[in-house]
Amino acid sequence: MANQKILIDAFGADFPDQIIEGIAIALETVKDVELVVTGNAKRIEEVLSDKTVDRERLEIIDCAEVVTNDDSPVEAIIKKKNSSLSVGLKTLRDREDVGCMISAGNTGAVIAGSVLILGRASGNDRPTLLTFLPNDKGGFTCLADCGANVDCKPHHLLKFGEYASEYSQKVLGVENPKVALLSVGTEDKKGNAVSKETFKLLKESNLNFVGNMEAKTALSGDVDVIVADGFDGNVLLKSIEGTAKSVAGRILALLKKHASKNGDMAFVKKAFDELMELLDFNSQGGAILLGAKKPIVKAHGSANSQTVVNTVKQAIKICKSGY
Amino acid sequence: MANQKILIDAFGADFPDQIIEGIAIALETVKDVELVVTGNAKRIEEVLSDKTVDRERLEIIDCAEVVTNDDSPVEAIIKKKNSSLSVGLKTLRDREDVGCMISAGNTGAVIAGSVLILGRASGNDRPTLLTFLPNDKGGFTCLADCGANVDCKPHHLLKFGEYASEYSQKVLGVENPKVALLSVGTEDKKGNAVSKETFKLLKESNLNFVGNMEAKTALSGDVDVIVADGFDGNVLLKSIEGTAKSVAGRILALLKKHASKNGDMAFVKKAFDELMELLDFNSQGGAILLGAKKPIVKAHGSANSQTVVNTVKQAIKICKSGY
């Protein structure tokens, strides 16, 4: 479905005005995109008032409530029926002309809402959060699950692999994606009770399963999909983020220490600017929640207007792929 | 016991000659150290033949067998009774004058042997492997477990915290070490089934437990001890190693790309040389196996002569601490 509308939950993120500004930029820069936006209509109109926006391609659904990061996820979905998130999920569920939703709100509430409001895809009992690791080959490696699900059973992990592999193929255009299982060694028998059972299921599946992998090669780009329990996937994702920041900071400090003259740091700055782009986890847009009836793009809570534009492009790609 | 001897398993590592050369250097450079070495006596004598070594402080125990990395850990301990590892462990167990053992051999076999030959410390059923993360404050953060134990129960994790905290205090001299639990969020209730139960046990313990931590702050140096199941600890350790290497490689490539003249890279080289020292996981020596009747220093399989010297110094420190 090439021309589906994209729904944006404009509230619940750290900076709602940034989301609204991003909506204006997306309408201006992304050809033919049609957006449905949920949130406080008064505030949305205020922020848009000084902008030139094609109102033919923008629909605003006024919502009285907001789910915040302090809300308990399930409670927020059950009690705040008029939140921008809940109304967004209902709209995504009920309207055929809406293909995908974007939210930068409470991650737990988005996941809970995907099950309680949108509903699970058939044959699945746990939606998975897929993220993208910027790898050494200049591409992105899919990691599923990156934190939505802990205490997973082997059949959940198999599903995560299936969803991520399908996404890699259909949306990212990877032919026959290589799927690996995160473990403590590359040998077939290395792992814990759940990973050893999962290994067998993946081996028997139709996926292009290449075996166990260690966290030290997560950024190598040797595989397209990394399957992990959400606890381990979260540890992997966050340690990559933290280590990248720590190491970059240490190198910069050392370069400053060893630089002998003022001009020395000019090219260093250029190199670090480019590094930050390479390591930007948000440059692909957001994480993707797969396994509910329609896909949801989960942007970072601190999303700015550029993030909104990136996620809109990502959502269009997903809709066009027929995922 | 200040003057205990250090036992070194000279075989089973990737480069036994390097271990033997390290023994010669340790005898020459580490004041008063007395070493007991297990392994192929003929080869040890050959490598030592052109070196000046104080034989008064060196005892060699000839062993006909070697445990290799291809051996199954438990089987190797049961079947190869005359290996340098098995004889070393028996010697460590039986001789009061030997305080600590160093091995760079098969990690699984060292762990299996610590239980089957050396025996568990009272009240413990799982020895833990403690490693040291080079943190942003220039110190080292203890991580237990880093891969010896998967599928841990909460009471195992509590023990890991107790061992690591005691080590941090007695051997590293940290007053009242801060202990944190690796989880997927900093909030008290974040985690999986095992970590949530472990949180309660740590909270009730006598440890200076500061709560849950995320992998992204593992290198911050904000805590002294990180407690984790060996699966997660291994993911954390290896992703730190892999990411550090990946990010350093990317920065170096970018610096080369943006350097405009030959002289530009001279100070970059200095900075990277210093970085490699900062990030050297082996500069502290090896990982420490705690929870058996005596501590074992587990050096990397690719240990060189300098690693041996570092681990000997580490072993002496452990013996002197009364751990």
Side-chain angles (χ1 to χ4, degrees):
Chain A
M1 299 243 267
N3 297 313
Q4 282 185 304
K5 293 175 183 172
I6 310 298
L7 193 145
I8 302 179
D9 166 15
F11 281 71
D14 299 345
F15 312 108
D17 286 6
Q18 280 288 318
I19 308 291
I20 304 166
E21 283 184 25
I23 287 165
I25 301 170
L27 284 168
E28 202 184 321
T29 57
V30 184
K31 197 171 169 284
D32 294 339
V33 68
E34 291 184 75
L35 303 178
V36 181
V37 177
T38 57
N40 180 327
K42 187 165 165 282
R43 183 64 197 155
I44 296 173
E45 294 291 2
E46 276 167 10
V47 178
L48 292 181
S49 62
D50 63 348
K51 293 172 177 57
T52 320
V53 169
D54 179 2
R55 299 300 295 246
E56 291 283 310
R57 295 189 282 122
L58 172 64
E59 177 184 342
I60 298 170
I61 302 177
D62 188 34
C63 303
E65 292 172 298
V66 180
V67 174
T68 71
N69 271 316
D70 298 328
D71 283 325
S72 151
V74 174
E75 219 169 282
I77 294 300
I78 293 171
K79 292 191 178 166
K80 292 187 171 176
K81 295 209 184 299
N82 290 313
S83 70
S84 59
L85 175 60
S86 291
V87 173
L89 287 164
K90 274 175 225 152
T91 309
L92 180 66
R93 177 191 66 197
D94 298 336
R95 279 174 54 173
E96 274 191 31
D97 63 334
V98 177
C100 185
M101 171 168 167
I102 297 166
S103 177
N106 181 325
T107 308
V110 171
I111 296 165
S114 77
V115 173
L116 296 172
I117 296 175
L118 185 57
R120 300 174 174 98
S122 67
N124 181 47
D125 60 358
R126 287 193 174 191
T128 181
L129 203 56
L130 174 74
T131 194
F132 307 94
L133 308 175
N135 65 43
D136 292 344
K137 292 183 177 164
F140 287 84
T141 304
C142 301
L143 167 64
D145 184 88
C146 71
N149 301 280
V150 298
D151 298 315
C152 294
K153 302 273 185 264
H155 68 92
H156 296 130
L157 291 165
L158 172 64
K159 272 282 172 202
F160 300 167
E162 288 173 355
Y163 285 124
S165 179
E166 191 186 350
Y167 187 92
S168 174
Q169 194 162 12
K170 285 192 179 166
V171 185
L172 304 180
V174 177
E175 214 175 306
N176 204 19
K178 286 184 199 149
V179 178
L181 178 63
L182 182 63
S183 189
V184 294
T186 54
E187 302 89 339
D188 288 5
K189 299 205 165 165
K190 283 280 173 89
N192 59 17
V194 168
S195 80
K196 285 176 187 171
E197 276 306 306
T198 306
F199 185 96
K200 291 181 202 162
L201 295 183
L202 285 165
K203 192 99 185 162
E204 289 161 8
S205 74
N206 292 324
L207 297 171
N208 180 13
F209 179 56
V210 297
N212 284 329
M213 60 163 284
E214 293 181 296
K216 69 179 169 194
T217 57
L219 295 179
S220 68
D222 291 341
V223 301
D224 303 297
V225 170
I226 300 171
V227 175
D229 174 278
F231 194 97
D232 310 312
N234 195 264
V235 167
L236 178 63
L237 173 64
K238 287 179 179 165
S239 72
I240 289 173
E241 287 178 329
T243 305
K245 204 174 151 192
S246 165
V247 171
R250 291 191 212 190
I251 297 177
L252 193 57
L254 287 168
L255 287 166
K256 280 180 188 163
K257 178 181 154 188
H258 288 286
S260 49
K261 49 190 187 299
N262 285 339
D264 277 353
M265 293 304 287
F267 81 98
V268 170
K269 194 184 170 305
K270 277 188 205 162
F272 271 78
D273 286 348
E274 201 172 325
L275 179 80
M276 290 305 119
E277 277 174 43
L278 277 184
L279 295 179
D280 184 1
F281 281 70
N282 296 319
S283 67
Q284 278 281 298
I288 314 287
L289 191 70
L290 301 172
K293 279 186 179 143
K294 286 181 183 174
I296 299 171
V297 178
K298 174 64 191 66
H300 205 278
S302 60
N304 60 24
S305 57
Q306 186 54 48
T307 317
V308 176
V309 177
N310 292 343
T311 51
V312 165
K313 288 179 185 167
Q314 191 180 19
I316 291 172
K317 215 170 158 187
I318 296 170
C319 289
K320 285 193 177 167
S321 76
Y323 182 91
Chain B
M1 300 244 269
N3 296 312
Q4 281 185 305
K5 293 174 182 170
I6 310 298
L7 193 145
I8 302 179
D9 166 16
F11 281 71
D14 299 346
F15 312 108
D17 285 5
Q18 280 288 318
I19 308 292
I20 304 166
E21 284 185 24
I23 287 166
I25 301 171
L27 284 168
E28 201 186 322
T29 58
V30 184
K31 199 173 168 282
D32 294 339
V33 68
E34 291 183 76
L35 303 179
V36 180
V37 177
T38 57
N40 180 329
K42 188 165 165 283
R43 184 63 197 157
I44 296 172
E45 294 292 0
E46 276 168 11
V47 178
L48 293 181
S49 63
D50 63 348
K51 293 172 178 59
T52 320
V53 168
D54 179 1
R55 299 298 296 246
E56 293 282 309
R57 294 189 282 122
L58 172 64
E59 178 185 342
I60 299 170
I61 302 176
D62 188 34
C63 303
E65 292 173 298
V66 180
V67 173
T68 70
N69 272 317
D70 298 327
D71 283 324
S72 150
V74 174
E75 218 168 283
I77 294 299
I78 293 172
K79 292 191 177 165
K80 292 187 171 175
K81 296 210 184 296
N82 290 312
S83 71
S84 59
L85 175 61
S86 292
V87 174
L89 287 164
K90 273 175 224 152
T91 309
L92 180 67
R93 178 191 67 196
D94 297 336
R95 279 174 56 171
E96 274 192 29
D97 62 334
V98 176
C100 185
M101 173 171 165
I102 297 165
S103 177
N106 181 322
T107 308
V110 172
I111 296 164
S114 77
V115 173
L116 297 172
I117 297 175
L118 185 58
R120 301 173 174 99
S122 67
N124 182 46
D125 60 357
R126 285 194 176 192
T128 180
L129 203 55
L130 173 74
T131 194
F132 306 95
L133 308 175
N135 66 42
D136 291 344
K137 293 182 177 164
F140 287 85
T141 304
C142 300
L143 167 64
D145 186 268
C146 71
N149 301 281
V150 299
D151 298 316
C152 294
K153 302 273 185 264
H155 69 92
H156 296 130
L157 291 165
L158 172 65
K159 272 282 171 200
F160 300 168
E162 289 173 354
Y163 285 124
S165 178
E166 191 187 351
Y167 187 93
S168 174
Q169 194 162 11
K170 285 191 180 168
V171 185
L172 304 180
V174 177
E175 215 175 306
N176 205 18
K178 287 183 199 151
V179 177
L181 178 63
L182 183 63
S183 189
V184 294
T186 55
E187 301 89 338
D188 288 6
K189 299 203 166 167
K190 283 279 172 89
N192 59 17
V194 169
S195 81
K196 285 176 188 171
E197 276 306 305
T198 306
F199 184 96
K200 290 182 202 161
L201 295 182
L202 285 166
K203 192 100 184 163
E204 289 161 6
S205 75
N206 292 322
L207 297 172
N208 180 14
F209 179 56
V210 297
N212 284 330
M213 60 162 284
E214 293 181 299
K216 69 179 168 194
T217 58
L219 294 180
S220 68
D222 292 341
V223 301
D224 303 297
V225 171
I226 300 171
V227 175
D229 174 278
F231 194 96
D232 310 312
N234 196 263
V235 167
L236 177 64
L237 174 64
K238 287 178 178 163
S239 73
I240 289 172
E241 288 178 329
T243 305
K245 205 174 150 191
S246 165
V247 171
R250 292 191 211 190
I251 296 177
L252 193 57
L254 288 168
L255 287 165
K256 279 180 187 161
K257 178 181 156 189
H258 288 286
S260 48
K261 50 189 185 301
N262 285 338
D264 277 354
M265 292 304 286
F267 80 99
V268 169
K269 192 183 172 305
K270 279 187 205 163
F272 271 77
D273 286 347
E274 201 172 324
L275 178 80
M276 289 306 120
E277 278 174 43
L278 277 183
L279 295 179
D280 184 359
F281 281 70
N282 296 317
S283 67
Q284 278 282 298
I288 314 286
L289 191 71
L290 300 172
K293 281 189 178 138
K294 288 181 183 173
I296 298 171
V297 178
K298 175 63 191 68
H300 205 276
S302 60
N304 60 23
S305 58
Q306 186 54 48
T307 317
V308 177
V309 178
N310 293 342
T311 51
V312 166
K313 288 179 185 166
Q314 192 181 19
I316 292 173
K317 215 170 157 186
I318 296 170
C319 289
K320 286 194 176 165
S321 76
Y323 182 92

